[in-house]
Amino acid sequence: IAASLFGFWWLGRSATSGPAAAANARALQGQPAPDFVLSDMNGRSTRLSDLRGKVVLVNLWATWCPPCRAEMPDLAAAYQAHKDQGLVLLGVDDQERRETVADFLTRTPLPYLVLLDPDSRVARAYNSGYLPASFAVDRRGILRAIMPGQSSRTALEAVLKPLLAEKP
């Protein structure tokens, strides 16, 4: 019950959730992806713009979010299938403490990089009112696809394969 109440609070915490958020996020598509710097579980910083030359999938999630957890096997499979082709997957945990995320990752290890966003900077920069939400950034740093809600392996492949096929 607490997780559900928190989820409703999170979705309603701004005027840019729901369909309005999707419309606002879509306005970013085709533009340079908003840059960010976040720390991983070990305190090392990762900057999105430092990953130019790679296809980057930014996935917003939280440990309390059932659809986030449900899509993790598909995200992991897509990452494993394409990491050697230049795919980087950034799992951006939204607004949770490091200890909460560390406990979750102990029980559910993920093969891709997990970053912490305690202030929800990335969700705001990408106008996202959804969890989960994924954003595909091409090798030039352009936001090419926005996927609000739970992604399937089929949907991920449909977005990633063309981007990975493009020359750097």
Side-chain angles (χ1 to χ4, degrees), residues 33-111:
D35 199 16
F36 59 83
V37 178
L38 295 174
S39 295
D40 68 14
M41 297 302 298
N42 297 312
R44 290 185 297 255
S45 294
T46 296
R47 178 182 302 274
L48 178 64
S49 59
D50 289 346
L51 298 172
R52 293 262 164 80
K54 303 206 179 272
V55 172
V56 181
L57 185 67
V58 178
N59 174 255
L60 301 180
W61 69 285
T63 63
W64 55 262
C65 168
C68 300
R69 293 190 309 266
E71 76 175 352
M72 286 176 177
D74 287 335
L75 289 167
Y79 171 70
Q80 295 288 23
H82 299 294
K83 66 182 179 181
D84 293 337
Q85 298 169 304
L87 176 64
V88 174
L89 202 160
L90 303 177
V92 177
D93 179 85
D94 189 70
Q95 295 187 331
E96 293 186 291
R97 296 177 347 162
R98 179 181 310 274
E99 297 79 15
T100 301
V101 179
D103 182 53
F104 176 84
L105 293 174
T106 299
R107 291 178 278 115
T108 310
L110 298 173

Side-chain angles (χ1 to χ4, degrees), residues 55 139 144 155-167:
V55 172
R139 296 177 194 274
R144 296 280 295 275
L156 291 166
E157 292 292 336
V159 167
L160 295 174
K161 280 185 177 181
L163 296 180
L164 290 163
E166 292 177 359
K167 299 290 182 213

Side-chain angles (χ1 to χ4, degrees), residues 91-150:
V92 177
D93 179 85
D94 189 70
Q95 295 187 331
E96 293 186 291
R97 296 177 347 162
R98 179 181 310 274
E99 297 79 15
T100 301
V101 179
D103 182 53
F104 176 84
L105 293 174
T106 299
R107 291 178 278 115
T108 310
L110 298 173
Y112 48 85
L113 186 60
V114 173
L115 302 175
L116 300 170
D117 188 6
D119 302 321
S120 199
R121 288 178 283 167
V122 175
R124 283 195 312 275
Y126 285 76
N127 295 315
S128 178
Y130 289 87
L131 281 184
S134 294
F135 303 87
V137 180
D138 72 13
R139 296 177 194 274
R140 297 174 298 126
I142 304 299
L143 180 60
R144 296 280 295 275
I146 298 166
M147 298 174 280
Q150 183 177 336

